[in-house]
Amino acid sequence: MKALAEGETDPAALAALADHRLRATPEQLRDALGACTELHAVYRRLLKMALEELRLMEEQIEQLDREALGLLQEHQDVVQRVAEVPGFGVDTPRFSKVDRPQKAMVLPHSAVR
């Protein structure tokens, strides 16, 4: 997507950048990306803006995660006890995400009101 936003128009070059986990074949990708050769600059700019917004949101989420973990430090003993309960461990995914797994945040009982 970044290459497309930056002006790449060659469907083969764009298809070569695709994530290996995609189910589409390289030929299907080249066919689907064929329309990119005529993509107006305004749409490229919109794509670039959306990608920047996504990057900013991911950065903000990471910052909030770090802050929340810092707040939980004073409750470390409670967090450790809750983490031992099956299904509430610190490795429980918060939600499924394609690019990286997320760690669950275990809140102390006193924080849940």
Side-chain angles (χ1 to χ4, degrees), residues 41-95:
V42 170
Y43 296 114
R44 290 182 192 281
R45 178 75 177 130
L46 286 170
L47 177 57
K48 196 173 196 176
M49 291 168 63
L51 290 172
E52 176 61 24
E53 188 173 344
L54 177 61
R55 186 202 59 76
L56 178 62
M57 285 188 288
E58 288 176 338
E59 184 179 300
Q60 290 171 335
I61 288 169
E62 288 175 12
Q63 289 173 350
L64 289 170
D65 281 347
R66 284 191 301 271
E67 289 177 29
L69 288 173
L71 292 172
L72 287 175
Q73 289 301 316
E74 66 185 86
H75 304 286
Q76 191 58 37
D77 59 326
V78 175
V79 170
Q80 184 60 41
R81 283 183 289 171
V82 172
E84 294 170 3
V85 175
F88 287 99
V90 293
D91 291 331
T92 305
R94 264 193 309 223
F95 54 90

Side-chain angles (χ1 to χ4, degrees), residues 4 12 14 16 18 24 28 31-33 38 45 69 76 82 86 111 113:
L4 181 59
L14 290 168
Q28 290 170 324
D31 183 47
L33 293 166
E38 300 173 14
R45 178 75 177 130
L69 288 173
Q76 191 58 37
V82 172
R113 297 183 193 258

Side-chain angles (χ1 to χ4, degrees), residues 95-113:
F95 54 90
S96 177
K97 191 165 183 183
V98 174
D99 60 338
R100 66 183 186 272
Q102 297 290 317
K103 300 293 181 186
M105 189 178 314
V106 180
L107 297 175
H109 179 69
S110 60
V112 182
R113 297 183 193 258

